[in-house]
Amino acid sequence: MLLPGDGIGPEVVRQARRVLEAVGARHQLDLRFTEGDIGGVAIDRSGEAYPAATRALANEADAILLGAVGGPQWDGLPAQDRPERGLLAIRADLDLFCNLRPALLFPDLIGASSLRAELVSGLDVLIVRELTGGVYFGEPRGVVTRDDGVREGFNTDRYDEVEIRRIGRLAFEAAQKRNGRLCSVDKANVLEVTMLWREVMQELSSEYPDVSLSHMYVDNAAMQLVREPKQFDVLVTGNLFGDILSDIAAMLTGSIGMLPSASLNAQNTGLYEPVHGSAPDIAGLDCANPLATMLSAAMLLRFSLDAPEAANDVERAVAAVLLKGFRTADIAERQSSATVVGTQAMGDAVIAALTD
Ligand code: IPM
Ligand code: MG
């Protein structure tokens, strides 16, 4: 299912769909697409950010590719009516508790990173973010005017041990398949909820003797990510910290326009989306980078459609176009000999590279 959403969402999803069709034909995959509204476009058309029609299709789909939600025209809406609530609603509805955000540096983009080449060359970090709990969903929440007339806003950060254990297990398993190092990020020096988080991660570690578990406070983790990011293999953390750390990690790879993500439930039905947002300032200008959405489509092929070879082909094609020097504006380095192309032309280049 395709959920193009707002801003640059439709244009990057369009290119990712073309890539899926091309790779699907090569691998004889029987891909059928449905499409729905989510976010601001859904609010405009039906008054709801996650309408019932979208919900019905999403519950039928084997996998979902989403563009982005949000934009300035909906910024004035009350919190519970904003486009972002559509994204939170579909995450909750499908129980997509496990968000995988790999930060992988393509060698040809090393100059686009915000850090010096030696700090990021070969960077390959996986952030495992809990996605359906924590302060994003905790109740009570709201803004009230107290009896003394003063307005007060509040949210609740909560996790039970079942929620912590299920994301913890997936993170340990991911570390087993990689370099065997897992760093759990918390704020256990201040927040009780993350004291429990740390305790449960520690308990789990006895079941995974082949993984070395460490713990780090989130403020230090943010610093370490920009100081020495290659010390990390897999990071596991709660919803809010994962939101923040994954944006930092994204920038290390050259552009947030390069980062895919997968949000999975226990059945491996997944929602796949680029980490970047709707970028309303460049929407419709054919200059957005569609590569993160294509790499999200590769994750979709791998995790939800059990088509690892097709996934590898897409990732190889993306690497190939970068090697050939194709760049969208966000990853073009100044004074380089790169060919700066638009969204559509980048799609053409990736499709051509699939058949090379
Ligand atoms: C993300 C985004 C979302 C989040 C927003 C759009 C609700 O920032 O996926 O990282 O905060 O989870
Ligand atoms: Mg975010």
Side-chain angles (χ1 to χ4, degrees):
M1 177 184 201
L2 304 173
L3 292 174
D6 306 321
I8 60 171
E11 47 198 300
V12 294
V13 167
R14 193 173 310 126
Q15 298 311 316
R17 175 185 181 147
R18 293 176 63 213
V19 168
L20 277 171
E21 283 169 343
V23 80
R26 279 172 69 77
H27 290 266
Q28 278 103 43
L29 305 175
D30 175 25
L31 299 178
R32 273 163 290 169
F33 295 91
T34 55
E35 198 163 320
D37 290 336
I38 195 161
V41 64
I43 294 174
D44 289 349
R45 288 199 187 133
S46 63
E48 272 180 288
Y50 183 47
T54 300
R55 185 182 175 156
L57 287 173
N59 277 279
E60 289 287 300
D62 297 315
I64 299 164
L65 185 66
L66 185 143
V69 299
Q73 61 269 57
W74 303 286
D75 277 353
L77 294 174
Q80 68 275 12
D81 298 330
R82 292 174 58 99
E84 289 79 3
R85 281 298 165 97
L87 192 52
L88 300 180
I90 193 171
R91 289 172 180 172
D93 184 33
L94 301 178
D95 200 19
L96 304 169
F97 67 91
C98 177
N99 184 218
L100 303 176
R101 297 192 164 181
L104 184 77
L105 186 98
F106 286 86
D108 298 294
L109 291 186
I110 199 156
S113 173
S114 50
L115 293 189
R116 287 196 307 280
E118 68 266 26
L119 289 174
V120 287
S121 85
L123 181 76
D124 180 0
V125 178
L126 175 66
I127 296 186
V128 180
R129 168 188 176 195
E130 202 291 329
L131 202 61
T132 51
V135 70
Y136 270 57
F137 290 92
E139 299 281 345
R141 64 191 296 160
V143 179
V144 296
T145 304
R146 297 190 315 224
D147 293 344
D148 62 2
V150 175
R151 283 173 303 158
E152 177 180 311
F154 53 95
N155 288 86
T156 305
D157 197 0
R158 58 157 300 286
Y159 275 112
D160 69 30
E161 58 179 312
V162 178
E163 293 170 299
I164 302 171
R165 213 170 280 122
R166 68 178 185 170
I167 189 72
R169 281 193 199 289
L170 293 186
F172 274 101
E173 284 162 21
Q176 276 178 325
K177 293 189 203 123
R178 292 169 47 102
N179 293 319
R181 285 180 293 119
L182 177 63
C183 178
S184 170
V185 176
D186 60 40
K187 187 73 186 172
N189 50 345
V190 178
L191 303 175
E192 284 82 352
V193 55
T194 73
M195 292 174 195
L196 178 65
W197 179 282
R198 185 176 283 223
E199 226 173 277
V200 174
M201 290 294 164
Q202 196 57 45
E203 289 161 14
L204 273 179
S205 70
S206 62
E207 295 176 35
Y208 300 89
D210 49 341
V211 173
S212 90
L213 173 71
S214 59
H215 304 275
M216 200 178 274
Y217 298 138
V218 63
D219 47 352
N220 187 23
M223 180 176 79
Q224 295 300 334
L225 268 174
V226 294
R227 197 184 75 95
E228 201 195 329
K230 283 192 274 180
Q231 70 185 280
F232 297 113
D233 178 17
V234 180
L235 288 165
V236 63
T237 190
N239 209 340
L240 180 61
F241 298 162
D243 179 45
I244 298 165
L245 295 182
S246 59
D247 268 25
I248 299 180
M251 210 52 233
L252 305 180
T253 68
S255 164
I256 196 163
M258 291 303 301
L259 244 83
S261 79
S263 306
L264 306 172
N265 62 20
Q267 293 77 42
N268 276 353
T269 305
L271 174 85
Y272 299 82
E273 55 178 318
V275 170
H276 62 69
S278 59
D281 52 324
I282 59 164
L285 300 181
D286 191 46
C287 66
N289 184 348
L291 296 178
T293 314
M294 294 175 190
L295 294 168
S296 301
M299 293 182 91
L300 179 156
L301 290 164
R302 180 172 295 119
F303 293 119
S304 289
L305 301 188
D306 198 23
E309 276 121 41
N312 290 338
D313 274 7
V314 173
E315 287 163 356
R316 255 196 307 269
V318 169
V321 300
L322 294 173
L323 181 63
K324 284 186 199 151
F326 289 102
R327 301 283 186 273
T328 41
D330 59 313
I331 50 175
E333 290 156 57
R334 260 166 290 164
Q335 290 145 6
S336 81
S337 57
T339 317
V340 178
V341 293
T343 312
Q344 165 93 23
M346 188 57 112
D348 295 343
V350 172
I351 289 167
L354 276 174
T355 51
D356 277 352

